[in-house]
Each structure stands twice: as structure tokens, then as C-alpha cells.
Amino acid sequence: MQNVTLNNGVEMPILGFGVYQIPPEQTEQAVTEALAAGYRLLDTAAAYGNEEAVGRAIKNSGIPREELFVTTKLWVQDAPAQENTKRAFETSLDKLGLDHLDLYLMHQPYADVYGQWRAMEDLHRAGRVRAIGVANFYPDRLVDLIVNNDVTPAVNQIETHPFFQRTADQHVMREYGVQIQSWGGFAEGRNNLFTHPLLSEIAEKHGKSVAQVVLRWLTQRGIVAIPKSVRAERMAENIDVFDFELTDDQMASIAALDTETSLFFDHRDPAIASRLGKWRLDD
Ligand code: NAP
């Protein structure tokens, strides 16, 4: 597995396993199978409701803790955000059955972002989490957070797939030393991604699947990917992307698929800011 080096020197696998929308009762088995397939980076969130199941799979795997890279995410917190963030962190850690995290991400750019971030900085300084980062931050909000705080986010996890490629955003992140991580790398299959004519043609040339071409395209751009699947054969397929390389022409032809538009929702949309910004989890 290739690694990327985060801005604080921490090494992170460039490919991992995401568990969004895996029901809690299916998650332990899915994560167990993903670990058996060779994944070492796991991506969950308080909001996914499956941290306990992820924790059970980690515990039962017998894999040494230092070989794993575990990410979870902080949901939107009310003031006093510093206190609430620390409580939410402990709840996640308890559910996962861990004594530290590898990466803690602020899930949404809403509510008391500064209070949440300063609490995350404290947790990082106290050694409870090896790296802290954000998700769903557009470049203006990201740079504002960076220039007004001590710790620069190590990662920004954002929607990134062939139809929404985030090239300009990636440049800004590179300039500030923030690692880009893709969520929804397959666009959850939207726009008929898995049967797309161009991606299928490139896949055929390499004797690979469309899914493998997409993951190769992401990782070849230096983007960390976390595909989700509940099927063991797809987990194996999705991690098998390091034995071929896309040509410059193929990279350029995929670049032409970019619509520069979200296929899900835009975090800058006032209706989304209102809906997600007001949504709270029950502990
Ligand atoms: P995704 O990885 O783009 O797509 C998952 C879909 O693709 C599932 O329907 C899966 O079906 C299918 N699939 C997987 N491998 C396949 C293959 N080889 N061939 C055909 N179909 C395949 O979607 P995602 O889960 O939304 O995104 C990935 C991860 O990013 C999440 O799990 C989560 O950890 C993270 N995420 C973060 C945010 C955020 O706000 N920070 C938002 C969304 C997601 P099966 O399961 O049936 O195989």
C-alpha cells in the first residue's frame, strides 16, 4: 500500500475503506472482510451510527493497533463547542473501543466551527489524535480556518469523482499543505459511472474494471480514496489498483468529464447550510 505523508509527518494509506450507509448490523462483517482484504485505513463518523461495529471488527481482527489508521468525524456541535466537542470525541472513542484516533475530522463546516476546531487542536496537542482535519470545506472557508488558527488541517475530505474533480480546490490545498481525500469516489454510481463509455474503454485497455480505473485515477492524482462496498469481491477489486498506470492521454481524457458541479449537494447552498447546520445527533 502506498502512503501519503500529512503536513505533520503522519503517514496515511492512500486507499482505505469507507463505511457510510452500511447499516450497523452489517458493518462488523463488512469491516472484518475489508481488513482481511488488506485495507488498513477505516473511515467512519459519529453520524454513520456504526462506530461500535467498526470497533468490534478492529478488536476481533487481532491486527496490531499501530498497523491501522482509524478516522472518525465530529458531528456539528452547539456552543459551548469546546466542551461539547471533547465530549463527542470521548463518545466516539468509547464506541470504537480505542484509546486514540489517527484522524479526527470536523464533518461539516457549520455552527461554531472555531470552537470545534480549537477543541480538536487541544485533543491533538494532548496526543489523543495523531492528526486533525476537516470535511466539506470549500477553499475560502478552509483558508479562513487556516489563517486564524494554530494547526492547519492535515486533511480536507470532499466530494471528488470523475464528474466533480476539484482540480482548482486541490491546488489551493496543496499550496496550504492540506491533503485532499475523496468521498463518493464512485459518485455512488450516479451518472451511470460503472458503465460510462470512456471509463469502460480505458478499463478494457488495462484489463481492469471501471471501479479500478476511477480509484487509479484518484490515487494517481495524489488523492486519498475510501471506496465503500459490502461485497468481499468488490473490496478485493477496489484495493487492487497498484499494478497499472493510466497514461497522460487517459488522465487528460478523464479530466474532460469534469462538470465542476456536485452530484449530491452544495455546502454553500443556504438551504443545505440551514438543514445540516441545525441537525443534531442523539448521543
Ligand atoms: P462510493 O464509494 O462512491 O460508492 C459506493 C457505491 O459503489 C455502493 O453502492 C457500492 O455498492 C458500489 N461499489 C463499490 N465498489 C464497486 C465496484 N467495484 N463495482 C461496482 N459497484 C461498486 O460512495 P460513498 O460510500 O458515499 O463514499 C465513500 C466513503 O466516503 C463513505 O463510505 C464514507 O466513509 C465517506 N463519505 C464521507 C462524506 C463526508 O461528508 N465526509 C460523505 C459521503 C461519504 P456495494 O456496497 O453493494 O458494493
Side-chain angles (χ1 to χ4, degrees), residues 74-105:
L74 169 74
W75 189 252
V76 179
Q77 297 298 317
D78 290 314
Q82 288 197 232
E83 216 173 280
N84 288 332
T85 296
K86 287 179 187 172
R87 192 169 29 237
F89 175 83
E90 298 302 339
T91 301
S92 283
L93 218 55
D94 274 1
K95 286 186 174 170
L96 285 162
L98 300 176
D99 64 1
H100 74 279
L101 276 183
D102 296 284
L103 179 63
Y104 197 37
L105 299 178

Side-chain angles (χ1 to χ4, degrees), residues 17-21 43-44 48 73 105 107-108 135-136 157-158 182-189 194 209 211-212 226-231 234 237-238 264 267:
F17 185 69
V19 300
Y20 177 45
Q21 288 172 331
D43 184 271
T44 184
Y48 301 170
K73 309 185 193 84
L105 299 178
H107 205 149
Q108 305 291 351
N136 300 308
Q157 185 182 107
I158 54 175
S182 150
W183 66 251
F186 299 142
E188 294 182 4
F194 294 112
S209 67
Q212 289 170 320
I226 42 169
K228 169 263 174 188
S229 179
V230 291
R231 304 180 202 211
R234 288 181 177 172
E237 178 186 327
N238 295 346
F264 296 86
H267 284 79

Side-chain angles (χ1 to χ4, degrees), residues 1-2 12-19 34 38-43 69 71 181-182 186 215 219 223-229 235 238-239 242:
M1 176 61 64
Q2 294 171 15
M12 177 183 192
I14 199 161
L15 189 66
F17 185 69
V19 300
Y39 293 85
R40 291 297 177 266
L41 158 56
L42 301 173
D43 184 271
F69 190 102
T71 304
Q181 180 172 29
S182 150
F186 299 142
L215 294 169
T219 53
I223 298 174
V224 176
I226 42 169
K228 169 263 174 188
S229 179
M235 295 175 196
N238 295 346
I239 203 173
F242 299 104

